[in-house]
Amino acid sequence: MTDIKKKYDTEGVIKYYHRTEWVYRDFWKLDKGMGLHFGFWDSSVHSVSDAIVRQNGIMAEMAGIQPHHKVLDAGCGVGGSSIFLARTIGCNATGITITPKQVIRANEYAAKENVSNKVQFLEMDYTKTNFADESFDIIWAIESVCHTNNKKDFFKEAFRLLKKGGKIVLADCFQTKENLTPKEFKQLYTNGVNGWAVSEMCTEQSFTSYCNEIGFTDIKCINVNDKVTPSTNNLIKQIKKWLIPGWIYFKLGGITDTEFMNAYGTYNTCKTIGKLWDYKVFMVTKP
């Protein structure tokens, strides 16, 4: 491997989300879906906003979330999943994010959806929280664990925070193999997920190893590429039309490098789904 992985610290991730919120708002219909993820498509879905909401519903069913459960939404973004769970299931949810602007936005959305009494949003790192031991029944994470450089620390903290019998339900991108060629590395990282302020994806095997070592049981990992490829295909089509004018606009100072590389990275990453990465739902239980 000749390439060196670029490392994004907390400030790098915060900067990414601060500078790209308008992109998600305009192109990902943020105010409607309240989510920053790919979403799950099926016959009931007709738009990306529908897909984002449908992903919340499918993952809630997979985790068996009940009204009496307390949920930690780890890396909650603008709070859409927590709001969905509170509104449709009636459980209490706490969303945490390292991005101050997202806390403000999440609280605005919660008030709009009339669930402020069921949810709270806090600025906090999910690898080192200040919650008491065994505070939660479910730890929920959609496309958030990819951002930390300390993925094992996420699972350690989750084990501490979960009650006995509690579960992690996590959806994210997983590298398909441990070792990449220089060409593959450039495709997936330099020209790909580095544009999302992601330093490193993990393989399913790495997550499984962490969880076995920490003490989790009932490990399940489900490939759901078929549910997200309508979103990746749509992004490829949209961004392909925008890349050249976007590059010119960037050179003229109309947008920052963060915004341009977000689009460029998304385009290249979406082209490698099923090859260099898979989208999976990963679930484990604390015995």
Side-chain angles (χ1 to χ4, degrees):
M1 178 69 65
T2 57
D3 295 86
I4 298 173
K5 289 183 177 178
K6 189 171 182 179
K7 292 289 185 183
Y8 291 88
D9 59 11
T10 297
E11 290 305 314
V13 176
I14 291 172
K15 182 180 82 169
Y16 167 78
Y17 279 111
H18 277 193
R19 288 187 175 175
T20 61
E21 182 184 335
W22 72 268
V23 179
Y24 287 103
R25 185 178 302 282
D26 291 351
F27 294 95
W28 219 234
K29 309 304 178 188
L30 186 63
D31 288 337
K32 186 176 180 182
M34 297 179 288
L36 304 163
H37 43 276
F38 283 115
F40 287 174
W41 292 74
D42 59 21
S43 59
S44 69
V45 171
H46 304 290
S47 68
V48 66
S49 299
D50 291 345
I52 288 169
V53 174
R54 186 69 183 120
Q55 180 170 0
N56 289 331
I58 289 173
M59 289 180 58
E61 292 169 10
M62 294 172 77
I65 298 177
Q66 301 297 317
H68 65 276
H69 283 156
K70 291 184 178 179
V71 179
L72 176 65
D73 188 354
C76 65
V78 296
S81 292
S82 294
I83 291 167
F84 173 88
L85 295 172
R87 188 181 61 215
T88 62
I89 297 176
C91 61
N92 289 302
T94 299
I96 59 174
T97 172
I98 58 173
T99 307
K101 194 173 182 180
Q102 291 183 338
V103 175
I104 296 169
R105 194 74 64 225
N107 280 313
E108 291 173 350
Y109 286 143
K112 180 182 175 183
E113 298 296 325
N114 298 311
V115 293
S116 296
N117 62 324
K118 286 282 187 180
V119 298
Q120 65 171 331
F121 297 103
L122 304 169
E123 185 182 337
M124 197 180 297
D125 183 338
Y126 52 52
T127 67
K128 46 187 176 183
T129 74
N130 58 16
F131 301 116
D133 293 355
E134 300 187 358
S135 293
F136 299 98
D137 301 284
I138 303 289
I139 293 181
W140 172 288
I142 299 184
E143 295 174 37
S144 58
V145 178
C146 58
H147 282 297
T148 183
N149 297 323
N150 306 302
K151 294 175 175 59
K152 188 174 181 180
D153 288 347
F154 163 78
F155 287 107
K156 286 181 178 178
E157 182 69 347
F159 193 88
R160 182 183 75 80
L161 294 176
L162 282 171
K163 300 175 184 178
K164 292 180 180 179
K167 297 178 181 179
I168 297 174
V169 57
L170 177 159
D172 222 318
C173 306
F174 288 77
Q175 194 170 307
T176 55
K177 58 182 181 179
E178 290 289 350
N179 297 310
L180 300 173
T181 66
K183 180 180 178 181
E184 290 170 337
F185 180 91
K186 186 174 182 179
Q187 285 180 298
L188 187 59
Y189 287 99
T190 310
N191 295 339
V193 296
N194 283 170
W196 296 344
V198 169
S199 304
E200 181 181 28
M201 289 184 187
C202 272
T203 61
E204 175 187 338
Q205 290 74 21
S206 293
F207 270 27
T208 299
S209 177
Y210 297 155
C211 290
N212 279 326
E213 183 179 335
I214 292 165
F216 285 106
T217 60
D218 193 25
I219 299 171
K220 297 175 183 175
C221 196
I222 304 163
N223 186 312
V224 289
N225 282 350
D226 60 318
K227 294 187 182 299
V228 303
T229 48
S231 286
T232 59
N233 290 339
N234 182 50
L235 283 165
I236 290 168
K237 289 178 183 177
Q238 286 191 52
I239 297 173
K240 187 175 183 179
K241 299 175 184 177
W242 184 87
L243 275 180
I244 292 177
W247 182 82
I248 294 171
Y249 199 44
F250 161 57
K251 288 297 182 180
L252 293 173
I255 58 174
T256 67
D257 58 339
T258 301
E259 292 153 291
F260 178 74
M261 288 307 298
N262 175 49
Y264 184 65
T266 299
Y267 177 76
N268 288 306
T269 302
C270 287
K271 290 174 71 174
T272 60
I273 186 172
K275 300 171 185 175
L276 301 182
W277 64 278
D278 292 318
Y279 197 96
K280 299 181 179 183
V281 176
F282 188 85
M283 295 189 296
V284 295
T285 303
K286 177 178 178 177

